[in-house]
Amino acid sequence: MMHLDHEDVHGHTHSHDHDHAHEHHHHDCDQTACASCGGCEHSPREELMALMKYMVNHNAAHANELAELAKKLADMGDKTAYEQVMLAVSDFEKGNLRLSTILAAMQ
């Protein structure tokens, strides 16, 4: 497992163990950590919107990682694998479009 430090949606740094090498941002709101930003005085709607916004950005990052992987597969001459991974990228992008549309409607 990898140990990563990262910031949550309030900008606080948290440490978590992860099995992979890129960052994940979690919203773990505890009273001590949130004291510097005024605490967790957010409505359930604000919390949900922050989580959805995070998920859109997180999924976009994964889509970019997958596209890079697909390019490497193409460079190795594996056209079939490239095409399948690019279909996965398209799926991530379609899901993100739906989430983005919902998020925009909620604002």
Side-chain angles (χ1 to χ4, degrees), residues 22 39 42-43 47 51 59 72 80 103:
H22 61 273
H42 305 284
S43 72
E47 290 288 330
L51 180 59
N59 288 345
K72 290 176 183 176
T80 302
L103 189 57

Side-chain angles (χ1 to χ4, degrees), residues 9-83:
V9 293
H10 294 298
H12 307 295
T13 300
H14 295 278
S15 297
H16 297 281
D17 290 327
H18 293 283
D19 290 329
H20 40 85
H22 61 273
E23 290 187 19
H24 282 266
H25 300 275
H26 301 280
H27 180 74
D28 295 324
C29 194
D30 64 54
Q31 300 305 72
T32 306
C34 288
S36 65
C37 71
C40 284
E41 303 290 329
H42 305 284
S43 72
R45 182 182 183 90
E46 290 170 325
E47 290 288 330
L48 181 61
M49 288 176 64
L51 180 59
M52 288 178 63
K53 189 174 189 178
Y54 156 75
M55 291 300 298
V56 167
N57 292 331
H58 185 79
N59 288 345
H62 279 295
N64 289 335
E65 291 171 339
L66 286 171
E68 289 174 20
L69 185 144
K71 182 181 180 332
K72 290 176 183 176
L73 289 166
D75 291 346
M76 291 177 7
D78 195 338
K79 183 179 177 183
T80 302
Y82 166 81
E83 290 171 350

Side-chain angles (χ1 to χ4, degrees), residues 18 22 30 67 84 86 88 91 93 96 99 101 104 107:
H18 293 283
H22 61 273
D30 64 54
Q84 290 300 308
M86 289 309 294
D91 291 342
E93 291 172 343
N96 261 357
L99 289 175
T101 300
Q107 292 179 347

